[in-house]
Amino acid sequence: MTSNFNLLSHNSCKILKAGALFFAAMISVSTPAVAAKTKKAGTKVATASPAATAVSHVQFSEFSDVKAFIQEIQAKQIMDEAAASRFFTEAVHLEKVKQLIKPAPPGKPKNWQAYRSRFIEAVRINKGLQFWEENAATLQRAEAEFGIPPEIIVGLIGIETMYGKNTGQFRVADALATLAFDYPDTPNRESRQRFFRDELEALLVIAKNSHSDPFAYKGSYAGAIGLPQFMPGSILRYAVDYDRDGKIDLANSPADAIGSVANYLSKHGWKRSLPVAYPATLLLPADHPSVREAIDRGLRATFSYEQISALAGISSDNIPVHISYGLIDLQNGAAQDEFWVGTDNFYAITQYNRSYFYAMSVYELGRIIRITKEK
């Protein structure tokens, strides 16, 4: 998996708003070129594929809003006008990125079991066991400091990149520039272009703070970087130097990836020692107004135990009764939907990727890896 944007989604893709763009002076984000010098076992530095670097005849100078963007980053003292102009001269427009970012054609029903089979697989489970064993102390530290269980972090990194195997082969600067100024013609084109311009600006801030070449970063077609596939804006806001080597290196440092994922989930509503989800059976017809309203509540736990129990029978004798829940509908194509009830921790995972399928696959993969580990 190379991006948070290529998942079948219960809702739209994860949208991270731009925030304050700053780094502590002592911390920098390691570029692939620098990170290669201290590459840790079991990780891989992504290299550009021919498809990712194919020459395009489209020039960014052709887009009228590039000039306004240059003026903005100059005013923010991120890059002077001459350097920004050189950046857009060197940036390559990637038509392939435009094609990959397009939403799937309508009409094909979502299928949780088909989706699950892509990610809950033997090779990913085995690699997860190895990742857990190699990083056991770091995972234990992250749980103590942030309250995130190891299986959730291991499951998430496994779903994202299979523990660094699939981190992406595109130059992030090219991908972000393409999507910032030539996003496909979709109903949300304007908002998506704003999002990717914010991410491009964040990448330039990272490059400035780390005194690195913005074209050195490799990642997914949507611009996500490293083992946990952080967008540049998320790197600025949530990434941490968890191995304490003076730089943040999500491409090659499992410790930095683990600490950054833990920090992200902690900042997005994860509650220590809370369960994640429970299998459930509807007590009302699936098309009942109360069930539809519960499903449409959005990505949050808003029902009391008494309220959710009136909608669904929960498969557990030890379920907490003083916390909030939400109803999770996992569609299975022509087959019957699968239902769960989720806590705030389930919905914290959906803040990483706004998809019930994604959050459930993270939970399921991590849970299976833990069970396998404890045998």
Side-chain angles (χ1 to χ4, degrees):
M1 180 184 210
T2 57
S3 170
N4 288 359
F5 289 77
N6 64 354
L7 292 168
L8 292 172
S9 179
H10 181 83
N11 291 290
S12 58
C13 293
K14 177 178 68 178
I15 300 177
L16 299 173
K17 295 181 180 178
L21 302 180
F22 65 90
F23 256 125
M26 69 182 67
I27 302 295
S28 66
V29 175
S30 175
T31 66
V34 174
K37 298 178 181 178
T38 58
K39 181 171 176 290
K40 294 177 173 59
T43 62
K44 182 185 293 185
V45 178
T47 56
S49 67
T53 57
V55 175
S56 171
H57 296 295
V58 177
Q59 301 297 319
F60 284 102
S61 59
E62 299 173 13
F63 301 108
S64 58
D65 38 2
V66 166
K67 184 175 181 180
F69 180 81
I70 290 175
Q71 292 173 343
E72 288 175 12
I73 61 175
Q74 180 184 15
K76 294 177 181 178
Q77 299 183 336
I78 298 170
M79 186 177 280
D80 64 39
E81 184 175 4
S85 296
R86 287 194 300 272
F87 171 84
F88 281 107
T89 298
E90 184 177 342
V92 177
H93 178 277
L94 298 176
E95 184 63 30
K96 183 175 182 180
V97 161
K98 287 184 61 179
Q99 298 306 314
L100 289 170
I101 204 74
K102 286 182 178 179
K108 187 175 182 180
K110 297 174 182 177
N111 191 314
W112 159 240
Q113 288 302 322
Y115 180 94
R116 183 184 187 280
S117 67
R118 292 170 50 198
F119 297 104
I120 314 302
E121 54 180 349
V123 64
R124 210 175 295 256
I125 293 168
N126 290 332
K127 286 184 176 294
L129 288 167
Q130 179 183 351
F131 183 85
W132 193 328
E133 181 179 351
E134 292 173 350
N135 299 282
T138 305
L139 288 163
Q140 185 176 12
R141 178 160 68 98
E143 182 175 24
E145 293 180 4
F146 297 102
I148 317 298
E151 64 266 28
I152 297 298
I153 299 173
V154 172
L156 189 148
I157 295 175
I159 296 297
E160 284 294 339
T161 62
M162 200 185 288
Y163 310 102
K165 181 180 179 181
N166 305 315
T167 57
Q169 297 181 327
F170 293 88
R171 287 201 313 184
V172 171
D174 295 336
L176 292 177
T178 298
L179 298 173
F181 300 102
D182 194 24
Y183 195 86
D185 189 11
T186 60
N188 62 346
R189 182 174 189 265
E190 184 177 345
S191 65
R192 300 307 290 151
Q193 287 199 153
R194 284 199 301 270
F195 168 74
F196 283 109
R197 286 175 198 177
D198 288 340
E199 294 300 331
L200 178 58
E201 180 178 307
L203 177 70
L204 297 177
V205 170
I206 291 170
K208 176 185 177 183
N209 289 343
S210 58
H211 306 289
S212 60
D213 179 359
F215 292 104
Y217 298 90
K218 300 289 173 56
S220 77
Y221 65 81
I225 297 170
L227 278 76
Q229 292 289 271
F230 269 28
M231 295 297 288
S234 287
I235 292 176
L236 288 176
R237 291 188 290 277
Y238 306 113
V240 295
D241 173 23
Y242 214 51
D243 60 11
R244 300 165 181 164
D245 67 349
K247 63 180 181 294
I248 296 170
D249 181 4
L250 298 183
N252 296 283
S253 170
D256 288 357
I258 289 167
S260 298
V261 168
N263 186 47
Y264 185 99
L265 292 174
S266 175
K267 293 291 197 299
H268 284 82
W270 186 277
K271 295 181 179 178
R272 188 184 294 269
S273 302
L274 203 67
V276 175
Y278 296 94
T281 304
L282 288 185
L283 301 178
L284 299 172
D287 59 354
H288 190 281
S290 295
V291 174
R292 301 321 306 172
E293 191 273 337
I295 292 171
D296 293 339
R297 279 283 181 98
L299 303 178
R300 54 206 176 107
T302 59
F303 291 97
S304 68
Y305 172 77
E306 290 75 16
Q307 290 171 323
I308 203 72
S309 295
L311 298 175
I314 304 166
S315 302
S316 175
D317 296 328
N318 300 313
I319 184 168
V321 298
H322 301 300
I323 64 173
S324 298
Y325 294 93
L327 186 61
I328 302 161
D329 175 17
L330 302 176
Q331 300 168 53
N332 273 319
Q336 188 173 5
D337 290 4
E338 186 176 320
F339 290 91
W340 291 63
V341 295
T343 71
D344 285 329
N345 284 354
F346 178 85
Y347 293 102
I349 301 172
T350 68
Q351 298 307 303
Y352 205 95
N353 183 300
R354 299 178 68 83
S355 162
Y356 285 171
F357 283 10
Y358 175 86
M360 187 57 68
S361 66
V362 167
Y363 172 63
E364 285 271 85
L365 178 62
R367 183 178 65 86
I368 292 170
I369 290 171
R370 173 176 277 281
I371 291 171
T372 306
K373 181 177 182 294
E374 292 176 348
K375 284 183 178 178

